[in-house]
């Protein structure tokens, strides 16, 4: 798969469970943070969208755990996007660095609420058209 964005980070001690691996819930934080960073890199701020009555919300998540991350591991969240109707589909994979071992495959579906109603916004449409 080709990716349109990559966000690198490092596992912090408090994100690990008693087994010494990243707790499953933290992978969702990693993918969300990477989506926000992607949008910011394109000049789109969730706070500014909200001020305009536009709220992007997750409508579904599918995650497949492949290999664990451990404290101190560096990783990269790589993103690709596709549009299906009113849904934005973020395909996000997390790789441990530097060996590029696949740790997580995630599919995150998001929709936009405009003044509380399901809809589309030119702001996001233009952001994602740049990638097609």
């Amino acid at each position: 798969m080709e990716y349109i964005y990559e966000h690198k980070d490092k596992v912090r001690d408090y994100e690990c469970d008693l087994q010494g691996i990243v707790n499953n819930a933290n992978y969702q934080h990693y993918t969300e943070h990477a989506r926000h960073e992607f949008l910011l890199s394109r000049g789109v701020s969730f706070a500014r969208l909200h001020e305009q009555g536009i709220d992007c919300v997750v409508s579904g998540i599918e995650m497949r755990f492949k290999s664990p991350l451990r404290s101190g591991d560096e990783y990269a969240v790589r993103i690709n996007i596709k549009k299906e109707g009113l849904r934005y589909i973020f395909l996000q994979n997390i790789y441990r660095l530097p060996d590029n071992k696949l740790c997580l495959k995630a599919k995150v579906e998001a929709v936009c609420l405009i003044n509380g109603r399901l809809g589309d916004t030119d702001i996001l449409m233009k952001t994602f058209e740049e990638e097609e």
Side-chain angles (χ1 to χ4, degrees):
M1 176 186 333
E2 289 188 32
Y3 299 99
I4 61 170
Y5 183 77
E6 177 180 85
H7 175 74
K8 293 180 181 177
D9 211 335
K10 185 176 181 178
V11 175
R12 292 159 287 274
D13 291 339
Y14 64 85
E15 296 169 333
C16 299
D17 58 23
L18 289 174
Q19 299 159 326
I21 60 176
V22 171
N23 180 277
N24 64 81
N26 286 311
Y27 289 93
Q28 189 170 340
H29 291 281
Y30 296 166
T31 59
E32 182 168 2
H33 182 65
R35 287 192 308 278
H36 285 229
E37 290 297 313
F38 163 70
L39 289 173
L40 284 171
S41 77
R42 299 295 196 269
V44 177
S45 159
F46 274 109
R48 276 186 266 143
L49 287 175
H50 178 73
E51 290 167 1
Q52 298 170 35
I54 302 168
D55 292 303
C56 300
V57 296
V58 170
S59 60
I61 295 177
E62 178 181 314
M63 297 191 313
R64 299 283 178 229
F65 301 93
K66 300 298 185 179
S67 184
L69 287 169
R70 300 180 184 281
S71 181
D73 282 349
E74 293 182 3
Y75 64 89
V77 181
R78 297 178 182 148
I79 299 175
N80 204 342
I81 301 169
K82 62 183 179 176
K83 185 108 166 52
E84 293 179 357
L86 292 176
R87 295 178 300 152
Y88 294 93
I89 312 297
F90 290 83
L91 303 170
Q92 296 182 256
N93 293 336
I94 298 179
Y95 294 88
R96 183 179 62 213
L97 299 175
D99 64 354
N100 282 311
K101 175 92 172 166
L102 179 62
C103 297
L104 178 86
K105 291 179 71 89
K107 178 181 175 183
V108 180
E109 298 181 7
V111 295
C112 287
L113 300 175
I114 302 169
N115 297 316
R117 304 186 120 200
L118 190 61
D120 244 337
T121 171
D122 289 341
I123 296 168
L124 289 181
M125 294 289 285
K126 289 177 186 173
T127 300
F128 299 135
E129 282 174 3
E130 294 174 10
E131 305 307 327
E132 293 178 1

